[in-house]
């Protein structure tokens, strides 16, 4: 699997016994940036949930960062997610903890113990998303765009092999959306593989990349100008 972070073959995704997407064949290489687009309800989130183990893969075969999705066991899921950086639409920051404490919570939960190492890592990821001066702020003191930058920093804490961003600009205004996408593209330029689902076609036009579209229970590649 060298050089390949995601491989799906003849995959059909079900949710509540209903076919969401069928016959998915996809290979994503290290360092790629991939958009998953489509209207609300066409399967983008179900696709992402399958990749991080929230929906079981029951038809077809899939391998993501070395994990066999079809044979994924419950106790494998936390270890899989440590190799993935997951960014959600609604930020999912702990509201009663500062930015720094949100980061510490993740590091301690994933086995870090050395206080100096943890702080060095936190400072590094906040620097990368332009939030180094905000470590003592509470989430409610931040704008939506700032909260999403923190969420991206959190996703980088364990040096993931793959970033999964599920509608990361869905709650943001157009200018902030473009800024957040710029952050993700910069991370990609530094070598991280990124898969981002979105229904915001404007940001795609601003930062073109390989694009797959969910429509009519299928997923297919689209040429940029036809998006």
């Amino acid at each position: 699997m060298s050089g390949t972070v995601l491989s799906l073959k003849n995959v059909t995704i079900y949710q509540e016994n209903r076919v969401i997407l069928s016959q998915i064949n996809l290979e994503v290489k290290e360092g790629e940036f991939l958009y998953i687009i489509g209207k609300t309800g066409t399967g983008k989130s179900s696709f992402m949930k399958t990749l991080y183990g929230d929906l079981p893969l029951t038809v077809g075969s899939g391998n993501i960062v070395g994990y066999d999705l079809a044979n994924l066991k419950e106790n494998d899921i936390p270890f899989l997610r440590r190799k993935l950086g997951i960014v959600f639409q609604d930020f999912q920051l702990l509201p009663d903890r500062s930015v720094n404490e949100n980061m510490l919570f993740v590091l301690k939960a994933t086995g870090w113990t050395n206080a100096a190492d943890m702080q060095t890592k936190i400072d590094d990821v906040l620097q990368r998303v332009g939030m180094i001066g905000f470590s003592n702020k509470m989430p409610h003191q931040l704008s939506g765009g700032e909260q999403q930058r923190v969420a991206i920093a959190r996703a980088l804490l364990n040096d993931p092999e793959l970033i999964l961003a599920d509608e990361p600009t869905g709650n943001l205004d157009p200018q902030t959306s473009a800024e957040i996408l710029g952050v993700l593209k910069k991370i990609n330029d530094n070598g991280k593989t990124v898969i981002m689902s979105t229904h915001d076609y404007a940001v795609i036009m601003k930062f073109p990349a390989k694009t797959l579209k969910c429509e009519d229970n299928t997923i297919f590649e689209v040429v940029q100008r036809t998006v």
Side-chain angles (χ1 to χ4, degrees):
M1 295 294 292
S2 177
T4 300
V5 293
L6 172 64
S7 176
L8 301 175
K9 294 179 181 174
N10 302 318
V11 165
T12 295
I13 295 173
Y14 289 87
Q15 194 161 8
E16 297 172 354
N17 297 318
R18 186 168 62 90
V19 173
I20 305 298
L21 293 168
S22 63
Q23 287 299 303
I24 306 169
N25 289 282
L26 176 63
E27 190 167 287
V28 178
K29 297 288 190 183
E30 286 177 12
E32 278 197 84
F33 194 110
L34 177 68
Y35 291 114
I36 307 293
I37 64 169
K39 295 176 182 174
T40 301
T42 53
K44 301 186 302 298
S45 285
S46 296
F47 177 82
M48 299 294 256
K49 286 178 178 179
T50 303
L51 299 188
Y52 60 80
D54 208 39
L55 279 179
L57 177 59
T58 55
V59 176
S61 61
N63 192 294
I64 185 166
V65 296
Y67 281 84
D68 181 350
L69 286 170
N71 293 297
L72 197 65
K73 296 178 174 57
E74 193 71 32
N75 56 7
D76 290 332
I77 293 174
F79 297 99
L80 163 63
R81 290 181 184 170
R82 288 181 202 181
K83 297 179 77 173
L84 301 172
I86 307 171
V87 181
F88 298 98
Q89 178 175 338
D90 56 357
F91 320 135
Q92 297 198 3
L93 300 176
L94 299 169
D96 59 340
R97 303 178 196 221
S98 69
V99 168
N100 210 71
E101 289 165 344
N102 266 273
M103 300 293 169
L104 279 172
F105 178 83
V106 172
L107 290 177
K108 288 176 180 176
T110 52
W112 291 61
T113 55
N114 183 285
D117 289 346
M118 287 191 282
Q119 197 56 56
T120 298
K121 188 63 185 180
I122 290 167
D123 291 346
D124 171 57
V125 295
L126 289 177
Q127 183 77 51
R128 289 171 69 182
V129 301
M131 291 295 290
I132 190 64
F134 293 77
S135 59
N136 293 321
K137 297 280 191 183
M138 301 296 284
H140 72 267
Q141 296 176 301
L142 304 176
S143 69
E146 288 166 347
Q147 289 189 62
Q148 194 60 289
R149 284 173 183 261
V150 172
I152 294 168
R154 180 184 56 193
L156 294 171
L157 282 170
N158 283 302
D159 292 318
E161 295 180 33
L162 172 61
I163 300 281
L164 298 176
D166 191 3
E167 294 274 8
T169 63
N171 290 333
L172 305 175
D173 62 78
Q175 181 179 338
T176 308
S177 295
E179 290 171 4
I180 290 301
L181 188 49
V183 171
L184 289 169
K185 288 294 286 184
K186 185 177 177 183
I187 290 165
N188 174 247
D189 290 343
N190 288 326
K192 292 283 184 209
T193 312
V194 178
I195 299 177
M196 172 179 161
S197 71
T198 184
H199 63 261
D200 185 353
Y201 291 6
V203 294
I204 297 173
M205 302 306 286
K206 192 172 179 67
F207 296 98
K210 182 177 179 180
T211 303
L212 300 181
K213 186 172 187 178
C214 298
E215 189 175 78
D216 298 329
N217 301 115
T218 61
I219 189 167
F220 53 90
E221 188 169 355
V222 292
V223 179
Q224 193 72 45
R225 64 178 179 274
T226 66
V227 173

